[in-house]
Amino acid sequence: MHHFLSIFLLLAIIGHVSGQSAKSRSERGVHRHYRSELWVWNGMSWGSWGFKSMCPVGMYAAGFSLKVERPVGRQDDTALNGIQLHCVYTSKESSESYYYNSIESNAGRWGEWTDIKWCYSGYLTAFQLKVESSQGRGDDTAANNIKFTCSNGDVLWGDGTNWGDWGDWSSKCHGKGICGLNTRIEKPQGDGDDTALNDVIMFCCD
């Protein structure tokens, strides 16, 4: 009896320590110091802001991919559901594979992830959002697509959907480049009108 009790206590301690380690790793990214925030004025206001997700210290976003639901005909369209940033230690200067770390904030449940778009060199430094305004009794989709500028001047277009209009560019990063994001997501509405991703804030680090 004492033998089984000892094993149970040991497993409980190991599980507690492992949980603490995972939490510590998560918090190191979340609490990374950032220098400035980037936002745009055409995002929609349905849903709520999720959690801030940051690149590991010393890494910056040099690429991105999108979670997109393609048009579904007479059913409920949601368009853009999520954004991933892909963080690197050095600029991407060739097509060779190299180490990177992917981060994302909250995302909607619909759609598939697109291929990664990379800056040829440098980091992401500003963004522009394509948003469909409120459709009244029609089918709302909110955010549909996103574009980024790279520090070398290149512009990367996301593989989103075509509803809505492009708004103004965000301001440009104060610091080396984008290092994190936070998304505004509307949770599933059941029989109501789903929009998924509505808005995003980007964070810039030195």
Side-chain angles (χ1 to χ4, degrees):
M1 178 70 178
H2 292 293
H3 176 69
F4 289 112
L5 181 60
S6 299
I7 293 175
F8 175 79
L9 290 173
L10 179 61
L11 290 173
I13 291 170
I14 292 173
H16 179 66
V17 171
S18 298
Q20 284 185 324
S21 298
K23 183 178 180 182
S24 297
R25 286 194 298 270
S26 174
E27 286 180 346
R28 279 199 295 270
V30 169
H31 296 299
R32 178 180 178 181
H33 175 73
Y34 62 92
R35 181 175 178 182
S36 62
E37 298 179 1
L38 306 181
W39 62 89
V40 291
W41 298 104
N42 63 326
M44 299 300 288
S45 58
W46 295 303
S48 57
W49 290 100
F51 59 90
K52 180 175 63 177
S53 184
M54 305 293 289
C55 297
V57 174
M59 301 182 81
Y60 303 86
F64 73 98
S65 51
L66 305 178
K67 189 177 186 183
V68 179
E69 182 187 46
R70 298 303 169 188
V72 293
R74 294 179 178 273
Q75 301 178 45
D76 189 3
D77 290 297
T78 61
L80 186 57
N81 272 248
I83 301 169
Q84 280 187 343
L85 298 180
H86 304 290
C87 313
V88 300
Y89 281 114
T90 58
S91 299
K92 181 178 176 63
E93 296 178 352
S94 72
S95 59
E96 297 177 3
S97 61
Y98 64 105
Y99 174 77
Y100 66 91
N101 185 285
S102 301
I103 62 169
E104 65 179 281
S105 180
N106 293 38
R109 63 166 63 171
W110 300 279
E112 303 293 335
W113 288 102
T114 65
D115 292 337
I116 301 175
K117 299 292 183 71
W118 291 106
C119 294
Y120 181 75
S121 65
Y123 310 106
L124 305 177
T125 56
F127 75 99
Q128 187 180 26
L129 203 59
K130 188 172 192 177
V131 178
E132 183 183 49
S133 60
S134 176
Q135 299 298 292
R137 294 178 179 271
D139 185 3
D140 293 304
T141 61
N144 274 249
N145 204 357
I146 195 168
K147 287 190 287 190
F148 286 91
T149 56
C150 301
S151 51
N152 69 350
D154 289 344
V155 177
L156 303 180
W157 290 64
D159 293 322
T161 47
N162 294 321
W163 296 298
D165 299 294
W166 291 104
D168 294 331
W169 283 95
S170 72
S171 57
K172 190 175 179 180
C173 270
H174 293 161
K176 185 173 291 186
I178 291 174
C179 58
L181 79 167
N182 190 359
T183 52
R184 183 170 194 157
I185 303 291
E186 182 184 44
K187 65 182 180 181
Q189 298 298 294
D191 293 332
D193 190 356
D194 295 301
T195 63
L197 196 147
N198 273 244
D199 203 355
V200 61
I201 297 173
M202 300 288 172
F203 303 99
C204 298
C205 295
D206 286 325

